Amino acid sequence: MPELPEVETALRGVSPYVIGKRVREVIVRDKRLRWPIPDTIHEMEGCRIETGTRRAKYLLFGTAKGTLLLHLGMSGNLRVLPAETPFKKHDHLAITLEGGKQLRLHDPRRFGAALWIEGDPMQHPLLKDLGPEPLGDEFTAEHLQAACKGKTAAIKQVIMDAHVVVGVGNIYASEALFMAGINPRQAAGKVTKSKLGKLVKAIREVLAASIEMGGTTLRDFLNESGEPGYFKLTLRVYDREGEPCRVCKTEIKRIVQGQRSTFFCPKCQKGS
C-alpha cells in the first residue's frame, strides 16, 4: 500500500492545482469505500480549499466549513484532470474546481476513504491518538526510548506502531533498522538509547530520501506524473533476499514478522 513518502508525494503533486481553488461540485460515483462517503461531503461545494496537509497517511484539505480527509487505502491514487475527461471504472470521487479541473480519487480495491470533518480534524477518532510525525520535532530518541521501555515485542514491530510513530511502513522499517545496525528481532526494551538515537536518525533519513525521490516503486502506486517512484533503486536490504549486503557482502536474509517480510543483514545487524 502507499506509504508515507508516497502520500506526501501525492500531496505535493496535487496541491498546486487545488489549494486556493473554489469547489464547484462534488461528484460521488460510488460511496462504498472503507467507510461510506458521507452526504455531508457536499458541504464543500462553494468553499475554497485553503490548506492541504498530511497527517500520517491521511490527506487533509481544509475549507472554512470543514476538512476533507482522504486516505488512499491499498491501491488508491489521486489525479488532477480536465473535468471533461471520461471517468474510469474506479474513479469513486471527483471534486470539480473553478477553472475546469477535477481532483479524482481512484481506488480499485475500495480500501481508501473520503470523509468530511467539521471542527478540529486532529480530534477526529482516526487522528487524535496517532504518534508523532517521524520528520517532526517530537520524534526523538527520548520519545522512542519511553515507547520501548519494558517492551518484549520486536523493535521492528514497535516502530511500525502508529501510536509510537506514524508512517514507518514495512519497507522503511527494514531499511532504517539496517542503517542503525539493529537486529529487527531484538526486543524493543533491550535496545540501548544510543542505538535508538541512531534509529531515529535513520528513520528520518530514509523517509526524507524517499520523499525526495518520489517514493518507493510499488505495484499500485504512481506519482502525480503517472510515473513510478524511484527510491527502490537505492534500497539496501528490502526485497534483496539472497543478494550480498552492500556494506559487508553477507547474504541478506528474510524472515516473517507480524505476517510481513523483514529483510536484514545478519552481520551488520548483530547487536542491539
Side-chain angles (χ1 to χ4, degrees):
M1 65 187 299
E3 303 282 5
L4 183 150
E6 285 79 30
V7 177
E8 180 68 25
T9 299
L11 174 65
R12 295 182 183 187
V14 303
S15 288
Y17 301 98
V18 303
I19 304 303
K21 301 294 185 182
R22 194 172 297 279
V23 176
R24 288 184 173 175
E25 184 183 15
V26 176
I27 302 169
V28 179
R29 302 184 68 243
D30 191 339
K31 64 170 58 180
R32 297 172 301 163
L33 298 183
R34 184 174 182 181
W35 300 284
I37 299 176
D39 292 338
T40 52
I41 201 167
H42 291 282
E43 292 292 318
M44 286 190 72
E45 294 174 344
C47 292
R48 190 178 304 279
I49 298 177
E50 299 173 350
T51 60
T53 58
R54 177 191 54 75
R55 180 69 172 109
K57 297 180 186 179
Y58 297 98
L59 296 172
L60 303 168
F61 294 97
T63 75
K65 283 188 176 180
T67 303
L68 172 67
L69 178 149
L70 297 177
H71 191 283
L72 301 181
M74 295 182 68
S75 60
N77 59 58
L78 294 177
R79 291 287 190 275
V80 177
L81 302 166
E84 64 272 16
T85 304
F87 285 109
K88 293 183 178 180
K89 179 179 179 181
H90 298 293
D91 286 345
H92 301 309
L93 174 70
I95 298 172
T96 307
L97 305 165
E98 61 181 348
K101 298 285 189 181
Q102 273 185 350
L103 175 66
R104 294 186 185 178
L105 174 63
H106 182 83
D107 186 3
R109 300 180 192 176
R110 295 206 299 269
F111 284 117
L115 301 175
W116 180 250
I117 303 172
E118 296 180 353
D120 182 1
M122 295 307 161
Q123 294 306 308
H124 189 275
L126 290 173
L127 305 179
K128 67 177 183 177
D129 294 324
L130 293 175
E133 290 285 330
L135 300 178
D137 293 339
E138 294 180 5
F139 183 52
T140 63
E142 290 74 20
H143 168 80
L144 188 54
Q145 183 182 37
C148 290
K149 186 176 180 180
K151 282 192 169 67
T152 58
I155 183 62
K156 179 170 182 269
Q157 301 305 108
V158 171
I159 63 173
M160 289 181 64
D161 182 347
H163 295 96
V164 174
V165 58
V166 301
V168 184
N170 194 44
I171 296 172
Y172 303 106
S174 286
E175 292 293 296
L177 287 165
F178 172 79
M179 292 169 65
I182 300 172
N183 191 300
R185 296 171 291 192
Q186 178 73 32
K190 298 294 186 180
V191 182
T192 65
K193 184 177 180 181
S194 174
K195 282 288 190 179
L196 291 175
K198 292 181 179 179
L199 181 55
V200 167
K201 184 173 182 288
I203 288 171
R204 289 178 179 275
E205 288 182 359
V206 72
L207 289 172
S210 185
I211 290 170
E212 183 67 24
M213 299 181 76
T216 307
T217 303
L218 300 175
R219 184 185 65 180
D220 291 320
F221 177 75
L222 297 174
N223 65 26
E224 76 279 2
S225 300
E227 299 295 332
Y230 293 99
F231 185 68
K232 188 172 183 180
L233 299 177
T234 69
L235 292 176
R236 297 165 176 85
V237 291
Y238 186 84
D239 203 25
R240 297 190 63 240
E241 180 183 11
E243 297 181 29
C245 171
R246 300 190 194 279
V247 174
C248 71
K249 308 304 180 185
T250 301
E251 185 177 291
I252 298 298
K253 301 296 184 182
R254 184 184 74 88
I255 58 174
V256 176
Q257 293 179 292
Q259 299 181 324
R260 305 294 298 275
S261 291
T262 296
F263 300 85
F264 70 104
C265 172
K267 184 176 180 180
C268 292
Q269 296 173 258
K270 276 185 178 179
S272 61

